[in-house]
Amino acid sequence: MGKGDRPLTGFVFRLEDYPRYLERVGGASYIDVTRRTDPARIGQVWDNLSALVESYGAPWVVQLWTKDAATALARGGAVLRRLVDEGTTLVAQVTVTGLSGTVWEPNTPARPFAGVEALIALAGGPDHIKWRYDPVIPTVHRPDRFRHLAGQAAALGLSRCVINFIAPPGRYRRVDDRLAGVLPGWAEGMPGYDDTWRAEIAAELVEIGAESGLSVATCAESAGLVGRVPGLRPAACGDHAWFVALSGRDPGRAPTAGSRPGCGCAAYFDVGLYGQWARCHRCLYCYAG
């Protein structure tokens, strides 16, 4: 990987890194809030975003990542409103799996899609929001649960669903330690839940999504399923083409290697921080904590 291909943001938010990022992306400034922890739970994220805006002005795009849109808006709605008023395009990835209150997601909202209607209004329409059904977990995923959630998403006007499968055993040690005692077969590598199984589930989700008018896409590690599964689309969480369509302008795309293998994201700057698992939703499968 050459110097120009290195990721444009480090693992720790530092305001002083932002000018170097701007030099490399020009007008295509895209801020993630945040892949590293849920901004509904960690107030420091909003302090970081506010400091960035105060120092350098409004970026082209801000993308919110959350499992709790209502609380995220309660914490950060004021700065998001300011950004929208100043011309920033606001988009969001809202994760809803239907596992709230279980051992998998003990602290996520009990009501699926809570706050999404208000987020749609702030962002400027449902086209600004993607629903993430992430992760799909062997033996835990249920098609009827997905069907029910798809209907709720469609009722809000959402039309895009992004799926991703849980990272396999051996990828993240801290996840392995959490899952070994609750997911039968995890310590043995989950035999039987291979690419064939993933393709079958992806095909099932594409079919169910279509019943509610939802397109289904997959990203990163699961990108190899595209082409194998009819109707399954490729996804880029930081989707430059999506940002261009919503904003009505194209500032050009800076080269980047993405954040992990299979990633098609545009170059982004993240205002979050890792190491917050115990203060966040405490999802057992989370590898960002």
Side-chain angles (χ1 to χ4, degrees):
M1 183 186 298
K3 182 177 180 181
D5 295 326
R6 292 173 185 163
L8 300 182
T9 181
F11 290 110
V12 178
F13 168 81
R14 298 194 312 169
L15 186 61
E16 58 267 32
D17 289 339
Y18 193 62
R20 182 171 64 90
Y21 167 78
L22 286 179
E23 288 178 4
R24 297 178 70 179
V25 303
S29 51
Y30 150 40
I31 308 303
D32 264 343
V33 188
T34 158
R35 301 176 190 224
R36 298 171 177 173
T37 193
D38 198 310
R41 304 286 292 189
I42 309 300
Q44 181 64 44
V45 168
W46 299 107
D47 295 338
N48 293 347
L49 179 62
S50 295
L52 185 150
V53 174
E54 289 295 334
S55 297
Y56 300 104
W60 175 43
V61 170
V62 163
Q63 179 159 237
L64 177 69
W65 296 70
T66 189
K67 295 180 177 179
D68 184 354
T71 305
L73 287 176
R75 284 182 175 269
V79 65
L80 294 178
R81 168 56 65 190
R82 171 186 170 182
L83 286 167
V84 170
D85 289 346
E86 293 182 7
T88 292
T89 295
L90 174 63
V91 299
Q93 305 264 345
V94 178
T95 299
V96 180
T97 64
L99 296 175
S100 175
T102 70
V103 66
W104 297 99
E105 297 181 7
N107 295 328
T108 56
R111 184 166 67 89
F113 300 102
V116 171
E117 188 172 6
L119 181 58
I120 289 170
L122 175 59
D127 287 349
H128 289 245
I129 316 297
K130 292 182 181 180
W131 164 39
R132 296 188 71 88
Y133 184 73
D134 179 8
V136 180
I137 306 172
T139 77
V140 177
H141 160 71
R142 296 290 183 271
D144 286 349
R145 184 189 303 128
F146 179 81
R147 179 176 284 107
H148 180 67
L149 294 174
Q152 291 182 286
L156 288 164
L158 306 186
S159 61
R160 300 173 184 234
C161 175
V162 178
I163 64 170
N164 218 347
F165 291 83
I166 194 168
R171 182 72 58 82
Y172 301 105
R173 179 178 296 177
R174 57 181 172 268
V175 176
D176 289 345
D177 291 343
R178 294 187 209 124
L179 298 191
V182 298
L183 193 59
W186 187 263
E188 291 74 42
M190 295 301 291
Y193 297 97
D194 52 11
D195 282 346
T196 298
W197 174 81
R198 283 185 279 271
E200 291 173 353
I201 297 300
E204 172 188 82
L205 298 182
V206 167
E207 182 178 350
I208 294 172
E211 295 171 3
S212 295
L214 290 167
S215 66
V216 175
T218 189
C219 61
E221 291 93 338
S222 302
L225 295 174
V226 177
R228 292 182 58 191
V229 177
L232 184 66
R233 301 182 182 183
C237 304
D239 189 338
H240 183 85
W242 184 40
F243 300 159
V244 168
L246 293 174
S247 68
R249 57 193 178 95
D250 186 354
R253 178 169 181 163
T256 180
S259 59
R260 52 185 168 160
C263 177
C265 290
Y268 63 92
F269 192 90
D270 198 304
V271 296
L273 55 162
Y274 287 114
Q276 305 301 307
W277 184 82
R279 298 173 55 208
C280 201
H281 292 119
R282 300 177 68 91
C283 299
L284 283 191
Y285 52 75
C286 178
Y287 60 81

